Amino acid sequence: QVQLVESGGGLVQAGGSLRLSCAASERTLRSRAMGWFRRTPGKAREFVAAITGSGSSTYYVNSVKGRFTISRDNAKNTVYLQMNSLKPEDTAVYHCAASWRGNIGAETDFDSWGQGTQVTVSS
């Protein structure tokens, strides 16, 4: 498994922006698809965005399309989530995850998880 450490969370007003980072311990990160998920108390974990190992394809949940952008720098073993036009409903703990495969398949393909970073959006 890959060790993942998220950073960049914080408190922001609605309409503001944050950039989350996920640093990975593995130098072969380019072989793995990466994803961002979020969890709020009392709710199931929600898929937010994913990117293939090569970075050529990205996927988003409908609620963040046009506002969030996932990207990766394989040379730095880091994945990013740029979040713009934040809304109070984006408040959650955001987790980075690594898949065992390069393409994006099922959520169960993600087998390494970070501890998460809190994002709080005030109205």
PDB file of all heavy atoms in Angstrom, residues 60-69 82-85:
ATOM      1  N   TYR A  60     -15.463  13.544 -12.315  1.00  0.00           N
ATOM      2  CA  TYR A  60     -15.968  14.334 -11.203  1.00  0.00           C
ATOM      3  C   TYR A  60     -17.400  13.950 -10.869  1.00  0.00           C
ATOM      4  O   TYR A  60     -18.184  13.599 -11.753  1.00  0.00           O
ATOM      5  CB  TYR A  60     -15.940  15.823 -11.539  1.00  0.00           C
ATOM      6  CG  TYR A  60     -14.566  16.367 -11.863  1.00  0.00           C
ATOM      7  CD1 TYR A  60     -14.096  16.378 -13.170  1.00  0.00           C
ATOM      8  CD2 TYR A  60     -13.742  16.855 -10.857  1.00  0.00           C
ATOM      9  CE1 TYR A  60     -12.834  16.860 -13.469  1.00  0.00           C
ATOM     10  CE2 TYR A  60     -12.477  17.346 -11.144  1.00  0.00           C
ATOM     11  CZ  TYR A  60     -12.034  17.356 -12.448  1.00  0.00           C
ATOM     12  OH  TYR A  60     -10.785  17.834 -12.735  1.00  0.00           O
ATOM     13  N   VAL A  61     -17.750  14.088  -9.615  1.00  0.00           N
ATOM     14  CA  VAL A  61     -19.155  13.991  -9.241  1.00  0.00           C
ATOM     15  C   VAL A  61     -19.842  15.250  -9.781  1.00  0.00           C
ATOM     16  O   VAL A  61     -19.229  16.320  -9.874  1.00  0.00           O
ATOM     17  CB  VAL A  61     -19.301  13.872  -7.709  1.00  0.00           C
ATOM     18  CG1 VAL A  61     -18.866  15.153  -7.003  1.00  0.00           C
ATOM     19  CG2 VAL A  61     -20.723  13.494  -7.328  1.00  0.00           C
ATOM     20  N   ASN A  62     -21.094  15.125 -10.152  1.00  0.00           N
ATOM     21  CA  ASN A  62     -21.798  16.236 -10.804  1.00  0.00           C
ATOM     22  C   ASN A  62     -21.785  17.519  -9.973  1.00  0.00           C
ATOM     23  O   ASN A  62     -21.698  18.620 -10.516  1.00  0.00           O
ATOM     24  CB  ASN A  62     -23.236  15.841 -11.111  1.00  0.00           C
ATOM     25  CG  ASN A  62     -23.332  14.891 -12.294  1.00  0.00           C
ATOM     26  OD1 ASN A  62     -22.419  14.818 -13.119  1.00  0.00           O
ATOM     27  ND2 ASN A  62     -24.422  14.160 -12.378  1.00  0.00           N
ATOM     28  N   SER A  63     -21.857  17.379  -8.671  1.00  0.00           N
ATOM     29  CA  SER A  63     -21.986  18.557  -7.809  1.00  0.00           C
ATOM     30  C   SER A  63     -20.743  19.445  -7.787  1.00  0.00           C
ATOM     31  O   SER A  63     -20.822  20.592  -7.324  1.00  0.00           O
ATOM     32  CB  SER A  63     -22.345  18.120  -6.381  1.00  0.00           C
ATOM     33  OG  SER A  63     -21.325  17.298  -5.849  1.00  0.00           O
ATOM     34  N   VAL A  64     -19.601  18.940  -8.263  1.00  0.00           N
ATOM     35  CA  VAL A  64     -18.378  19.757  -8.241  1.00  0.00           C
ATOM     36  C   VAL A  64     -17.868  20.083  -9.639  1.00  0.00           C
ATOM     37  O   VAL A  64     -16.888  20.822  -9.781  1.00  0.00           O
ATOM     38  CB  VAL A  64     -17.252  19.077  -7.423  1.00  0.00           C
ATOM     39  CG1 VAL A  64     -17.741  18.690  -6.041  1.00  0.00           C
ATOM     40  CG2 VAL A  64     -16.670  17.883  -8.154  1.00  0.00           C
ATOM     41  N   LYS A  65     -18.520  19.565 -10.658  1.00  0.00           N
ATOM     42  CA  LYS A  65     -18.082  19.836 -12.027  1.00  0.00           C
ATOM     43  C   LYS A  65     -18.095  21.334 -12.302  1.00  0.00           C
ATOM     44  O   LYS A  65     -19.049  22.032 -11.983  1.00  0.00           O
ATOM     45  CB  LYS A  65     -18.979  19.099 -13.021  1.00  0.00           C
ATOM     46  CG  LYS A  65     -18.708  17.623 -13.123  1.00  0.00           C
ATOM     47  CD  LYS A  65     -19.615  16.960 -14.158  1.00  0.00           C
ATOM     48  CE  LYS A  65     -19.341  15.482 -14.262  1.00  0.00           C
ATOM     49  NZ  LYS A  65     -20.244  14.799 -15.224  1.00  0.00           N
ATOM     50  N   GLY A  66     -17.012  21.808 -12.905  1.00  0.00           N
ATOM     51  CA  GLY A  66     -16.900  23.224 -13.202  1.00  0.00           C
ATOM     52  C   GLY A  66     -16.344  24.047 -12.054  1.00  0.00           C
ATOM     53  O   GLY A  66     -15.998  25.221 -12.238  1.00  0.00           O
ATOM     54  N   ARG A  67     -16.256  23.444 -10.866  1.00  0.00           N
ATOM     55  CA  ARG A  67     -15.727  24.175  -9.703  1.00  0.00           C
ATOM     56  C   ARG A  67     -14.419  23.567  -9.184  1.00  0.00           C
ATOM     57  O   ARG A  67     -13.538  24.296  -8.730  1.00  0.00           O
ATOM     58  CB  ARG A  67     -16.753  24.171  -8.569  1.00  0.00           C
ATOM     59  CG  ARG A  67     -18.074  24.835  -8.920  1.00  0.00           C
ATOM     60  CD  ARG A  67     -18.959  24.981  -7.693  1.00  0.00           C
ATOM     61  NE  ARG A  67     -19.318  23.705  -7.088  1.00  0.00           N
ATOM     62  CZ  ARG A  67     -19.053  23.367  -5.825  1.00  0.00           C
ATOM     63  NH1 ARG A  67     -18.413  24.210  -5.028  1.00  0.00           N
ATOM     64  NH2 ARG A  67     -19.439  22.189  -5.350  1.00  0.00           N
ATOM     65  N   PHE A  68     -14.301  22.260  -9.249  1.00  0.00           N
ATOM     66  CA  PHE A  68     -13.120  21.557  -8.749  1.00  0.00           C
ATOM     67  C   PHE A  68     -12.295  21.026  -9.918  1.00  0.00           C
ATOM     68  O   PHE A  68     -12.850  20.632 -10.950  1.00  0.00           O
ATOM     69  CB  PHE A  68     -13.521  20.367  -7.874  1.00  0.00           C
ATOM     70  CG  PHE A  68     -14.128  20.730  -6.542  1.00  0.00           C
ATOM     71  CD1 PHE A  68     -14.534  22.022  -6.231  1.00  0.00           C
ATOM     72  CD2 PHE A  68     -14.328  19.730  -5.588  1.00  0.00           C
ATOM     73  CE1 PHE A  68     -15.106  22.336  -5.010  1.00  0.00           C
ATOM     74  CE2 PHE A  68     -14.896  20.022  -4.361  1.00  0.00           C
ATOM     75  CZ  PHE A  68     -15.281  21.321  -4.079  1.00  0.00           C
ATOM     76  N   THR A  69     -10.991  20.979  -9.713  1.00  0.00           N
ATOM     77  CA  THR A  69     -10.089  20.421 -10.718  1.00  0.00           C
ATOM     78  C   THR A  69      -9.068  19.523 -10.042  1.00  0.00           C
ATOM     79  O   THR A  69      -8.359  19.962  -9.127  1.00  0.00           O
ATOM     80  CB  THR A  69      -9.344  21.527 -11.485  1.00  0.00           C
ATOM     81  OG1 THR A  69     -10.287  22.396 -12.112  1.00  0.00           O
ATOM     82  CG2 THR A  69      -8.449  20.917 -12.557  1.00  0.00           C
ATOM     83  N   GLN A  82      -7.922  21.402  -6.748  1.00  0.00           N
ATOM     84  CA  GLN A  82      -8.206  22.827  -6.707  1.00  0.00           C
ATOM     85  C   GLN A  82      -9.715  23.004  -6.568  1.00  0.00           C
ATOM     86  O   GLN A  82     -10.470  22.518  -7.421  1.00  0.00           O
ATOM     87  CB  GLN A  82      -7.701  23.512  -7.972  1.00  0.00           C
ATOM     88  CG  GLN A  82      -8.013  25.003  -8.046  1.00  0.00           C
ATOM     89  CD  GLN A  82      -7.258  25.803  -6.991  1.00  0.00           C
ATOM     90  OE1 GLN A  82      -6.069  25.589  -6.777  1.00  0.00           O
ATOM     91  NE2 GLN A  82      -7.950  26.731  -6.340  1.00  0.00           N
ATOM     92  N   MET A  83     -10.127  23.689  -5.519  1.00  0.00           N
ATOM     93  CA  MET A  83     -11.550  23.857  -5.246  1.00  0.00           C
ATOM     94  C   MET A  83     -11.894  25.342  -5.292  1.00  0.00           C
ATOM     95  O   MET A  83     -11.395  26.125  -4.479  1.00  0.00           O
ATOM     96  CB  MET A  83     -11.892  23.275  -3.870  1.00  0.00           C
ATOM     97  CG  MET A  83     -11.485  21.815  -3.713  1.00  0.00           C
ATOM     98  SD  MET A  83     -12.045  21.099  -2.162  1.00  0.00           S
ATOM     99  CE  MET A  83     -11.129  22.079  -0.991  1.00  0.00           C
ATOM    100  N   ASN A  84     -12.715  25.715  -6.248  1.00  0.00           N
ATOM    101  CA  ASN A  84     -13.146  27.106  -6.414  1.00  0.00           C
ATOM    102  C   ASN A  84     -14.647  27.215  -6.163  1.00  0.00           C
ATOM    103  O   ASN A  84     -15.368  26.219  -6.179  1.00  0.00           O
ATOM    104  CB  ASN A  84     -12.814  27.594  -7.818  1.00  0.00           C
ATOM    105  CG  ASN A  84     -11.327  27.574  -8.114  1.00  0.00           C
ATOM    106  OD1 ASN A  84     -10.489  27.767  -7.228  1.00  0.00           O
ATOM    107  ND2 ASN A  84     -10.979  27.337  -9.370  1.00  0.00           N
ATOM    108  N   SER A  85     -15.092  28.434  -5.963  1.00  0.00           N
ATOM    109  CA  SER A  85     -16.527  28.699  -5.741  1.00  0.00           C
ATOM    110  C   SER A  85     -17.099  27.759  -4.695  1.00  0.00           C
ATOM    111  O   SER A  85     -18.161  27.148  -4.885  1.00  0.00           O
ATOM    112  CB  SER A  85     -17.300  28.554  -7.069  1.00  0.00           C
ATOM    113  OG  SER A  85     -16.794  29.434  -8.043  1.00  0.00           O
TER     114      SER A  85
END
